């Protein structure tokens, strides 16, 4: 059943489906593509901050988006995640706040989700704390 105007869009499936083989999958092609992706990222000067934006964006509205959780997923120490990476002007906290702002703006513009629900989904204790952070 589809539900619209919710704070998250989720597809749930059994984890055993992750072990299923994909018909026609080519392991050699996968290896070649992985290497090519790595080369492109290096050539473009992809910053560490670009990589860590992906995880909080997908996990921010769940209970598993603390700096400790993200550091664990990236197999690094929390202090490493918290410090500003070389060549980047933003650390984890600034990136997480920026992502919160992007999600909040999108929900406020494109949905009818009440302000209190948006604040709760983004981890704010109450709507007023969210409003102050949003205006900042």
């Amino acid at each position: 059943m589809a539900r619209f105007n919710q704070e998250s869009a989720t597809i749930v499936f059994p984890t055993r489906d992750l072990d299923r083989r994909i018909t026609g999958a080519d392991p050699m092609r996968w290896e070649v593509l992985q290497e090519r992706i790595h080369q492109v990222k290096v050539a473009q000067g992809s910053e560490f901050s670009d990589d860590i934006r992906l995880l909080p964006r997908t996990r921010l509205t769940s209970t598993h988006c603390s700096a400790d959780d993200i550091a664990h997923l990236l197999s690094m120490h929390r202090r490493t995640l918290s410090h500003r990476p070389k060549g980047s002007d933003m650390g984890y906290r600034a990136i997480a706040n920026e992502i919160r702002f992007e999600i909040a703006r999108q929900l406020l513009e494109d949905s009818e989700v009440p302000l209190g629900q948006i604040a709760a989904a983004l981890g704010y204790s109450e709507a007023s704390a969210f409003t102050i952070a949003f205006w900042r």
Side-chain angles (χ1 to χ4, degrees):
M1 173 167 75
R3 293 185 181 151
F4 297 94
N5 290 325
Q6 300 297 307
E7 63 263 8
S8 66
T10 307
I11 298 175
V12 179
F13 56 89
T15 54
R16 67 179 176 274
D17 288 352
L18 294 173
D19 295 326
R20 297 179 74 185
R21 302 210 37 84
I22 299 172
T23 306
D26 183 351
M28 281 297 272
R29 183 174 289 174
W30 185 83
E31 289 290 333
V32 169
L33 290 173
Q34 287 294 103
E35 179 60 29
R36 182 65 183 128
I37 290 168
H38 176 71
Q39 291 171 356
V40 168
K41 288 175 83 172
V42 168
Q44 291 178 341
S46 176
E47 298 295 334
F48 176 69
S49 61
D50 294 337
D51 294 336
I52 66 172
R53 287 176 190 281
L54 298 175
L55 285 171
R57 176 88 182 159
T58 58
R59 301 173 68 89
L60 199 59
T61 57
S62 77
T63 58
H64 305 291
C65 190
S66 70
D68 289 327
D69 294 322
I70 300 300
H72 177 74
L73 287 170
L74 294 171
S75 300
M76 65 175 55
H77 195 279
R78 186 195 184 292
R79 275 190 236 134
T80 304
L81 179 68
S82 296
H83 290 141
R84 190 171 50 198
K86 285 183 182 178
S88 175
D89 59 344
M90 299 176 82
Y92 175 77
R93 176 173 281 156
I95 291 169
N97 287 338
E98 184 178 280
I99 292 168
R100 268 192 191 90
F101 175 78
E102 290 170 6
I103 292 171
R105 190 184 50 151
Q106 182 180 4
L107 287 172
L108 289 168
E109 288 177 353
D110 301 334
S111 76
E112 295 176 12
V113 177
L115 187 64
Q117 281 184 330
I118 294 173
L122 294 175
Y124 292 95
S125 58
E126 54 190 50
S128 61
F130 164 73
T131 303
I132 292 167
F134 188 79
W135 282 111
R136 245 185 305 161

